[in-house]
Amino acid sequence: MKLIMAIIKPFKLDEVREALTQLGIDGLTATEVKGYGRQKGHTEIYRGAEYAVSFLPKVKIEIVVKADMAERTVETIRQAAETGQIGDGKIFVIDVVSAMRIRTGETDADAL
């Protein structure tokens, strides 16, 4: 099993979710996060004063899939989240040792 963690622009969340649903992925976890990379933040004007915003709003998506689905899942996220602009995000793939569905006690791939 693989944990796929993607950091994307917030307005792309619905497109990514729809694309993953079409791929057959039934669930995901999405968290509002802040961060920066090469964008280095930006400046904004509030009540006439300019200030630097060091951390930009992003959404972190986490999905656990069977290992044979990982590559297709990553490519689906990449295509749905891409804008072609700096700050589109990153995708990480991490090995998952085990999983358990709390309600039923099912484990590993059955728990997904």
Side-chain angles (χ1 to χ4, degrees):
M1 295 176 298
K2 302 288 185 180
L3 168 63
I4 299 171
M5 184 185 329
I7 310 295
I8 64 171
K9 292 182 175 182
F11 66 89
K12 286 297 209 168
L13 178 59
D14 285 337
E15 285 180 57
V16 170
R17 184 186 53 77
E18 289 172 16
L20 290 170
T21 299
Q22 290 177 1
L23 189 62
I25 293 174
D26 296 328
L28 61 82
T29 299
T31 310
E32 293 180 6
V33 297
K34 292 184 180 186
Y36 71 93
R38 291 185 179 160
Q39 279 179 290
K40 305 280 192 252
H42 62 278
T43 58
E44 290 185 0
I45 297 176
Y46 178 72
R47 295 188 177 184
E50 186 176 25
Y51 66 98
V53 177
S54 299
F55 294 94
L56 300 170
K58 301 288 182 177
V59 172
K60 179 169 72 171
I61 298 170
E62 296 171 298
I63 309 158
V64 178
V65 296
K66 294 178 184 177
D68 63 346
M69 284 286 294
E71 195 172 317
R72 282 187 287 165
T73 303
V74 167
E75 185 57 26
T76 298
I77 294 169
R78 191 197 67 75
Q79 289 177 359
E82 181 184 19
T83 68
Q85 303 296 316
I86 191 168
D88 274 354
K90 298 265 191 309
I91 302 172
F92 304 96
V93 180
I94 303 162
D95 287 327
V96 174
V97 176
S98 67
M100 178 181 281
R101 185 184 311 269
I102 294 172
R103 179 178 53 86
T104 63
E106 294 170 294
T107 59
D108 300 329
D110 293 333
L112 302 180

